[in-house]
Amino acid sequence: MIELVSAERCVACDRCIRVCPTDVFERGADGVPVIARQDDCQTCFQCEANCPADALFVAPYTHPQPQDPAVRDERRLADAGLLGSYRAQIGWGRGRTPGALRAIGPALGPAAQATPITS
Amino acid sequence: MSAQQEFAADVLVVGGGPAATWAALDAARAGADVVLADKGYCGTSGSTAAGGTGVWYVDPEPALREAAMASREALGGHLADRRWMARVLDQTYVNMNELAESRSYPFPTGPDGRQLRTGLQGPEYMRRMRIRVRRAGVRILDHSPVTELLTAADGSVAGAAGQRRQAGHPFLVRAGAVVLATGGCAFLSKALGTNTNTGDGALYAAEVGAELSGMEFSNAYGIAPEHTSVTKTAFYSYASFSTGDGAALEGAASQGGRSVIARSLLAGEKVYCRLDRADEAARRAMRLAQPNFFLTFDRLGIDPFTDRFAVTLLAEGTVRGTGGIRIAGDDCRTTVPGLYAAGDAATREEICGGFTGGGSHNAAWAMSSGTWAGRGAAGYARALGPGAHRRVLAPAGRAGLRPTAAPGGRPGGDAREIVAAVQRQVLPYDKNYLRHGDGLTGALSVLDDTWARLRAGLRATGTDAVRARQAAALTANARWMYRSALARTESRGMARRLDHPGQDPAQHHRIASGGLDEVWTRPLARTATEAAA
């Protein structure tokens, strides 16, 4: 779930408000988006992928983590290379190569030879 | 209440995923003036955008096509239709080649120097589909959930109404024809990207008298690391499954062994997994092919190839099932004039029969049915002529909008409580995955009561109407699903029954369903081209 909107990094472009498919954000008084409906977050990571400032962090859990400050610790997340990591992997952003160009998947697994892969 | 914003269009497309965007694009290319209204944001909404998918793209080599069609006929319980499979293979080939040749998608180049056109990364695909739709002149209304269809005096569908939820006011679209491309129904399970897929289209279609088909094929569950969202079951073909003490979990597998996982989880035991059957090359390839699969692991500090991690099964309902709105013609018309269906909102039995359409088949179906529905709707609107927008419109929405009980009567509950009540009947593995007639009957009776209660008393206005209608849609989908599952007293495709484990030759047919206050099912006569094998 979305856990962090970094006020320091945010450029107030409103993209996350616009692109979130479940309408989780609202514009805050200072222009920085606020997480208004966290329960509606479906942990799809698309706000992160679309954030030009790498200001967002979506924790992998499908429930809020109020007791775990680590998922909102900007410094820690940045040091671990997690802020903006999805955007980098799919190759979005100036000067990057689209990840789709390199997306050559594996021949699917030992079990795949017995039954077709269906999902 | 804020003023209603009105639009007029030849074709209204409801939805914003692959089927919706192909429908909008091809309706526009057929000369129609098109409005696309999406509940979320066209480009990120739906199960494709959040993930990535294989595509049923097969070279038009007769032997390859034959093998592609034959490979899943038995799995699907011989309910697919060869003629439709061939049509979808042809149309998918055209659409994927168009993506490549118009440089609308950056396909990778394989070792033989040829582009690999058998897969799509969701975010890239849908970002670019949005651009193509806009360039075709389609008016996109984001964050504009439709809440009901509008009908003309003759019963044909002539538009829709809804809420522009970020702007905070209602809207209405007068249209010559409407395409429902709202996705399947995964019951708000939070399986990756599916929470926009609440089966709204099926509810709206049923309210104007359209039929559903294959709703018993709705018990798909995807594997995900515990407490997370990323259901990418294909990669679990590399998995070894184990119990808490590290012993191998006998019989557990991503394909053909998922029920073992479900039984362990039901018994309160944790199931662990390690993708230790992937070699170094496969590991690298997996990361390049589906970076989102690794988001969860990277953020949890887990190396899925060497560490054991606990897994869960998340309901994917009809998103990875095959049931949906019944198709009544090659142009993806429904049985109601002016109404078309595409993608996961429609049944995928035409090409999958009764076995999960998840992944490549659903992706092929979305783009093919989208193209056909868009063109069909454009042709229908053109034939109506300019009088189309002068028709007197009547709202078709019922449950959640216009309760039957007198004001002050028994309260209908709130939307959130109804969703939770439905989820208690459709998410548990012992009710929906490991189906038994007794469990289905009990769950259906609770769901029927839930429907009666919300139909009588639930009334929401403004943007609250969106949640009320989602709650109604989940309830309706659940009831068609279990009524259909009870009607099939055998095991066929993914619709397996513990109390009827065998396949019954006398039930070699599809099952239609529909109705709201009274839910019905009936067997459908087989067409000449449904798999004879």
Side-chain angles (χ1 to χ4, degrees), chain B residues 5-9 35 139 141 164 169 171-175 389:
Chain B
Q5 188 179 15
E6 282 207 25
F7 300 87
V35 166
R139 285 171 285 167
L141 309 180
R164 305 212 68 185
H169 61 72
F171 76 104
L172 179 152
V173 183
R174 295 174 173 275
H389 297 151

Side-chain angles (χ1 to χ4, degrees), chain A residues 8-88:
Chain A
E8 204 171 308
R9 291 175 173 233
C10 178
V11 294
C13 70
D14 290 350
R15 265 196 81 76
C16 57
I17 299 173
R18 213 161 57 236
V19 304
C20 171
T22 55
D23 196 26
V24 163
F25 301 97
E26 293 272 350
R27 190 179 296 118
D30 56 355
V32 176
V34 295
I35 302 168
R37 287 168 291 272
Q38 192 181 19
D39 282 349
D40 287 336
C41 175
Q42 59 171 354
T43 321
C44 70
F45 306 97
Q46 303 214 60
C47 54
E48 254 193 67
N50 281 281
C51 176
D54 297 334
L56 306 174
F57 181 70
V58 178
Y61 309 103
T62 47
H63 296 282
Q65 303 293 311
Q67 311 301 330
D68 181 7
V71 297
R72 288 173 295 280
D73 183 339
E74 183 175 342
R75 181 72 184 275
R76 184 194 73 92
L77 295 168
D79 288 350
L82 291 176
L83 290 184
S85 61
Y86 187 33
R87 198 165 74 95

Side-chain angles (χ1 to χ4, degrees), chain B residues 253-299:
Chain B
S254 69
Q255 298 290 318
R258 234 175 284 178
S259 61
V260 175
I261 300 170
R263 284 178 200 284
S264 295
L265 294 172
L266 269 175
E269 291 156 17
K270 288 206 179 211
V271 173
Y272 292 85
C273 173
R274 182 160 53 201
L275 304 179
D276 51 11
R277 299 164 81 190
D279 61 20
E280 202 45 55
R283 294 176 187 192
R284 273 197 307 275
M286 286 160 80
R287 204 172 257 282
L288 290 177
Q290 297 289 342
N292 61 6
F293 179 76
F294 294 91
L295 286 175
T296 307
F297 299 113
D298 291 348
R299 286 158 200 230

Side-chain angles (χ1 to χ4, degrees), chain B residues 114-196:
Chain B
R114 291 180 65 202
Q115 271 189 352
L116 285 169
R117 297 180 184 171
T118 53
L120 292 162
Q121 286 193 345
E124 192 73 47
Y125 174 33
M126 293 316 303
R127 180 175 79 86
R128 290 170 182 252
M129 283 303 290
R130 179 185 176 93
I131 294 169
R132 299 182 76 206
V133 164
R134 286 182 68 104
R135 284 184 180 164
V138 172
R139 285 171 285 167
I140 298 176
L141 309 180
D142 294 308
H143 294 289
S144 301
V146 159
T147 52
E148 62 182 324
L149 295 176
L150 306 169
T151 53
D154 63 358
S156 60
V157 171
Q163 297 288 333
R164 305 212 68 185
R165 67 181 176 191
Q166 291 194 334
H169 61 72
F171 76 104
L172 179 152
V173 183
R174 295 174 173 275
V178 174
V179 178
L180 291 174
T182 47
C185 181
F187 298 101
L188 295 171
S189 72
K190 298 206 171 176
L192 187 62
T194 64
N195 269 30
T196 49

Side-chain angles (χ1 to χ4, degrees), chain B residues 1-15:
Chain B
M1 191 186 288
S2 332
Q4 176 168 270
Q5 188 179 15
E6 282 207 25
F7 300 87
D10 298 323
V11 173
L12 166 65
V13 176
V14 186

